[in-house]
Amino acid sequence: MEILETVGFDLGHGETAVAKAIVESIEPPQMLEINNKKNQITALGWHPQLGYLVGEQALIQAGVTQLAITFKQKPNNDTEYRKTISTFLATYYHLLKESRQIENQETTYFYVGCPSGWSVKERAEYQKLLQESGISLLNVVPESRAAFMQAKEAGKLEYEKLLSSVLIVDIGSSTTDFTLVKSLQEIPIDFGSNTLGASLIDKAIFAHTLAKHEQKSLLEKVFKDYPHHQARCELACRKAKEDYFSNEQLYTDPQSFARGFESINEQIYFIPQVNKLMMEEILNQPLPELSQKSWLQAFYEALAEAKQKLDSQGIVPKLLLMTGGASRMKFTHQLCQKTFPEPETLLRPDPEPERCIALGLARVGRWDLRATAFKQEVNQLLESNKLAELISKHIPDLIASLTKPLAEGFIENAVRPGVKDWQKNQLRTLADLETSMKQRAEQWLQGDMAQKIVNSQCISWFNHKIQPDLAAETDPICRKFQIPRSSLRFEDSIEPALVNPELRIGDVILGDTVAFIVNVLIGGGTLASIITLILTGHLTWPIALVYGASVIAAGMELSRETVKETIKTNVNVPSWIRSSLLNDRKIDDISKQIRPELEKVIQEQLTDNQEAFDKLISKVEQGLQKALSTKVQEAIILIQ
């Protein structure tokens, strides 16, 4: 069945969010709700009567006997982990279906995010694990790609920024990832830390609170016997942290605290609290998970490592996108700006980091499906015979556009100067004139002037003949996928200077065409036919009229052709006769008279050379195919 919608599933270590995009629409994706909330704590609980519960319900429902939180990690063979994560996804899917927020399984494609630092193998294993939930149409993609797509589609990235380098810093609950997206490349260049997550701050607050709790020993025993109580207390620490970083200015006073709360029973309470002084201490304390580095030090070193790797490649990102729920911590903005200062790099924190990845994943899914369909449509055009047909149809137009300027150029650069030399007695016979004109013609055809003439006509031919017919084939594809028609056009021009230098379509088509035309004119008998026309039609017989009597008197019984050949090779006309026989005005008259005949010969010679033109058609077709394929890769970034 046809895929109708894509679901972006941001299964985070700390929170989970889900969004949906309609494939055939360019409307923004919509956030979906579970338990009437668009974001949920990543929690899975078991209730003896109610079964599996997720999110807030798993936390607040009385009677929950098992509770798992912060369970997202690299795929492994731990049975409990595998059961927890597949059950969590299956329960979420059931609730979305039950509330009719998604279509049936055959028409809905899930896109689930993972940290950018995970290898391709780890992504594949994670995808296989998630499919154990019963969702077969599921794909795992890097969360950084989702962040980039969300920024692009939500209008946060101007097109010129898309063409440059964008650094994405994704600060999640379990990892911090740095991803470079360069020159529209949708496959990020990833590097980062897979242990530097904001949940380490939660755990540090938890340890700090537990260490100072008056019933520390009792709590430790409760946590050991009832792990779900510890999970609830860790969430209380997370809430205290989030409250603090959402309202830092309120907690600069030593007597003000951001607090969390968890009741173990009626006598035991766990109340984590932080203020500016305490948070600075926590952020600077060594953590075993970070090789005894503090969270602050580890984050700063990760930024420095990212910058060092970019510097080694000569890359300065134009934009730094920050996402992930923990990117709300203001000190991370300051460190990013310190490492990548303005104006070289502009800092852009996402205003809704808790929803960014889910929305981006839904967009990535829709984009993938539409981009695939788009490429298939263009490939069908490329694999058909339509390109060759439209090129072949306009070959007569190309020939017609070339004949007049080539004839004029031939006359001015080969005929006129050659006849002038003969007139001045610099050439002995008409045979010498023939050789001279041939040499001049070849030099001119292979020189810059003739190349420019052919170049100019080929540009005009492509822009006014090929491009409109090509646009008639590509414009409907662009309309179907709601991208600008210019995406598959060559900027309305084949002029190499005006099109994307990456494409080089002008160089390919013009280079092949110019070389082809020159070879046909020189090597295809055209030049010989032209010179024969000039000599026999306009020079030989006037001389024969003057010399005819003396030739016959000498006893030479000659045929018409023999007379012409004899005169051409043997007769050295005296200079005083040459100037009267071919004065400057006569040369001008001959030049005018032979122009239409010359155009006719050139047109006939080019038209008759069908085999060579078939090769040209094939080369131009290949040039267009290659250029369009490159344009497709550039255009798919515009698909919404």
Side-chain angles (χ1 to χ4, degrees):
M1 293 180 69
E2 183 182 4
I3 302 300
L4 301 178
E5 61 188 13
T6 56
V7 172
F9 201 103
D10 178 21
L11 198 170
H13 191 65
E15 285 192 349
T16 295
V18 184
K20 180 178 77 171
I22 305 302
V23 173
E24 292 302 322
S25 170
I26 60 171
E27 292 299 315
Q30 299 298 310
M31 295 298 297
L32 305 184
E33 294 186 352
I34 294 293
N35 304 331
N36 297 314
K37 293 186 69 175
K38 292 181 171 64
N39 289 78
Q40 290 286 329
I41 297 293
T42 301
L44 177 68
W46 169 254
H47 191 284
Q49 282 77 47
L50 301 177
Y52 284 107
L53 304 173
V54 296
E56 294 288 333
Q57 277 198 353
L59 299 173
I60 64 177
Q61 181 65 51
V64 169
T65 57
Q66 297 175 33
L67 180 66
I69 62 168
T70 60
F71 45 77
K72 180 181 179 179
Q73 55 186 284
K74 286 184 179 181
N76 57 61
N77 293 323
D78 181 85
T79 306
E80 191 63 30
Y81 154 73
R82 297 181 73 86
K83 179 184 176 184
T84 299
I85 203 160
S86 61
T87 303
F88 177 78
L89 187 58
T91 305
Y92 236 96
Y93 177 70
H94 171 74
L95 291 171
L96 291 171
K97 282 271 292 177
E98 191 178 58
S99 59
R100 299 186 182 278
Q101 293 184 78
I102 61 173
E103 298 286 340
N104 60 54
Q105 191 169 346
E106 292 77 20
T107 60
T108 303
Y109 214 118
F110 275 68
Y111 279 73
V112 184
C114 73
S116 298
W118 287 13
S119 67
V120 173
K121 182 180 178 182
E122 287 165 340
R123 292 176 200 172
E125 290 175 356
Y126 190 54
Q127 180 171 315
K128 187 177 179 181
L129 168 59
L130 296 179
Q131 287 172 330
E132 291 177 10
S133 66
I135 306 173
S136 58
L137 295 178
L138 183 148
N139 193 17
V140 172
V141 296
E143 288 156 357
S144 56
R145 187 178 174 211
F148 176 76
M149 186 64 73
Q150 173 63 9
K152 178 188 84 73
E153 302 247 336
K156 301 184 186 78
L157 283 180
E158 302 87 349
Y159 188 72
E160 57 270 19
K161 295 286 194 313
L162 290 173
L163 293 170
S164 61
S165 300
V166 179
L167 179 64
I168 301 171
V169 180
D170 183 4
I171 312 173
S173 186
S174 62
T175 64
T176 294
D177 291 292
F178 299 83
T179 302
L180 179 71
V181 181
K182 183 183 177 186
S183 300
L184 301 176
Q185 293 301 310
E186 276 296 327
I187 302 173
I189 304 169
D190 296 303
F191 36 75
S193 170
N194 282 327
T195 56
L196 182 61
S199 63
L200 294 179
I201 300 174
D202 308 346
K203 292 181 182 298
I205 296 172
F206 174 82
H208 184 273
T209 306
L210 180 60
K212 294 191 173 185
H213 202 286
E214 59 186 20
Q215 294 176 296
K216 176 176 179 288
S217 298
L218 178 60
L219 277 175
E220 287 176 336
K221 186 177 186 307
V222 169
F223 294 154
K224 182 179 179 181
D225 295 339
Y226 305 99
H228 65 281
H229 280 305
Q230 179 172 336
R232 292 177 190 273
C233 290
E234 287 181 1
L235 285 172
C237 295
R238 176 191 171 113
K239 289 180 179 178
K241 176 197 70 178
E242 291 175 346
D243 184 19
Y244 171 81
F245 284 113
S246 297
N247 304 280
E248 284 186 59
Q249 71 280 2
L250 298 180
Y251 304 116
T252 54
D253 189 322
Q255 303 305 314
S256 298
F257 298 94
R259 291 185 174 89
F261 179 85
E262 180 59 34
S263 172
I264 307 299
N265 58 34
E266 293 180 356
Q267 286 79 37
I268 305 175
Y269 303 104
F270 190 87
I271 307 174
Q273 56 183 23
V274 288
N275 59 17
K276 181 178 175 62
L277 193 62
M278 295 171 66
M279 185 57 76
E280 286 180 351
E281 179 185 338
I282 287 169
L283 290 175
N284 285 283
Q285 74 181 45
L287 298 175
E289 298 91 342
L290 299 176
S291 303
Q292 296 306 313
K293 295 176 184 176
S294 70
W295 205 99
L296 205 61
Q297 179 188 359
F299 182 71
Y300 188 61
E301 288 183 2
L303 277 169
E305 180 188 358
K307 186 166 193 312
Q308 183 181 15
K309 290 189 176 184
L310 292 176
D311 287 345
S312 68
Q313 300 175 56
I315 296 171
V316 178
K318 297 295 183 187
L319 205 66
L320 193 156
L321 292 177
M322 296 187 70
T323 189
S327 67
R328 289 191 182 277
M329 300 188 295
K330 290 294 187 293
F331 75 88
T332 62
H333 299 186
Q334 294 161 2
L335 289 177
C336 284
Q337 197 69 84
K338 181 179 179 181
T339 309
F340 296 93
E342 292 186 347
E344 289 82 6
T345 303
L346 299 178
L347 182 68
R348 292 289 183 271
D350 193 282
E352 293 185 299
E354 64 279 356
R355 299 181 183 182
C356 168
I357 302 301
L359 293 167
L361 286 167
R363 292 184 189 273
V364 166
R366 173 166 64 186
W367 182 88
D368 273 352
L369 293 172
R370 289 173 65 78
T372 299
F374 174 70
K375 286 188 283 189
Q376 287 174 346
E377 292 249 2
V378 177
N379 285 338
Q380 284 178 7
L381 170 63
L382 298 182
E383 291 166 6
S384 71
N385 204 36
K386 288 183 179 178
L387 289 182
E389 288 175 355
L390 72 87
I391 297 165
S392 180
K393 182 177 77 172
H394 291 296
I395 289 297
D397 298 315
L398 176 60
I399 292 173
S401 70
L402 287 168
T403 53
K404 185 174 180 179
L406 283 175
E408 289 176 352
F410 189 86
I411 289 169
E412 294 303 318
N413 295 278
V415 176
R416 188 185 293 275
V419 175
K420 277 276 189 182
D421 285 350
W422 185 84
Q423 179 202 53
K424 295 174 182 177
N425 209 25
Q426 293 174 3
L427 298 171
R428 195 178 73 85
T429 65
L430 293 182
D432 296 332
L433 172 57
E434 179 180 28
T435 302
S436 173
M437 282 197 295
K438 185 174 182 181
Q439 290 173 348
R440 287 178 180 274
E442 288 179 353
Q443 287 176 1
W444 176 71
L445 286 168
Q446 293 171 339
D448 290 343
M449 289 181 63
Q451 304 270 339
K452 286 179 180 178
I453 289 173
V454 179
N455 228 352
S456 174
Q457 295 305 314
C458 288
I459 289 172
S460 178
W461 171 70
F462 182 87
N463 294 340
H464 298 104
K465 299 296 181 180
I466 302 299
Q467 172 68 332
D469 280 11
L470 185 60
E473 300 292 340
T474 60
D475 285 359
I477 299 175
C478 293
R479 280 196 298 270
K480 179 176 179 179
F481 291 92
Q482 297 170 311
I483 61 174
R485 290 178 301 171
S486 59
S487 303
L488 291 182
R489 292 187 177 191
F490 299 100
E491 302 294 336
D492 294 326
S493 172
I494 196 180
E495 179 67 59
L498 299 181
V499 295
N500 186 336
E502 299 286 331
L503 301 182
R504 299 294 181 198
I505 181 172
D507 293 349
V508 172
I509 295 178
L510 295 179
D512 285 343
T513 307
V514 170
F516 161 76
I517 297 297
V518 170
N519 287 336
V520 169
L521 290 173
I522 292 176
T526 308
L527 197 57
S529 299
I530 291 169
I531 291 171
T532 300
L533 166 71
I534 295 164
L535 292 176
T536 60
H538 295 275
L539 293 178
T540 309
W541 281 112
I543 294 170
L545 292 175
V546 176
Y547 279 85
S550 60
V551 170
I552 294 169
M556 299 173 63
E557 293 296 332
L558 302 174
S559 68
R560 180 186 179 94
E561 291 303 318
T562 309
V563 168
K564 284 190 287 187
E565 189 60 34
T566 301
I567 291 172
K568 187 171 80 171
T569 56
N570 296 317
V571 175
N572 182 5
V573 180
S575 58
W576 63 272
I577 294 180
R578 295 186 187 203
S579 58
S580 61
L581 184 68
L582 277 180
N583 56 35
D584 289 348
R585 183 176 177 182
K586 183 64 176 174
I587 292 174
D588 289 340
D589 290 341
I590 289 176
S591 297
K592 289 178 183 178
Q593 290 170 19
I594 64 172
R595 182 174 287 116
E597 299 174 70
L598 205 53
E599 291 176 8
K600 182 180 178 184
V601 170
I602 292 174
Q603 184 157 357
E604 287 174 350
Q605 290 288 321
L606 291 175
T607 303
D608 291 344
N609 213 315
Q610 187 59 47
E611 184 179 346
F613 267 104
D614 287 341
K615 293 178 182 178
L616 176 67
I617 291 166
S618 178
K619 280 194 171 184
V620 175
E621 181 187 22
Q622 290 169 17
L624 282 177
Q625 287 174 336
K626 186 176 180 181
L628 276 173
S629 296
T630 307
K631 288 288 266 182
V632 166
Q633 295 306 314
E634 182 180 303
I636 55 177
I637 197 68
L638 301 173
I639 294 176
Q640 296 185 331

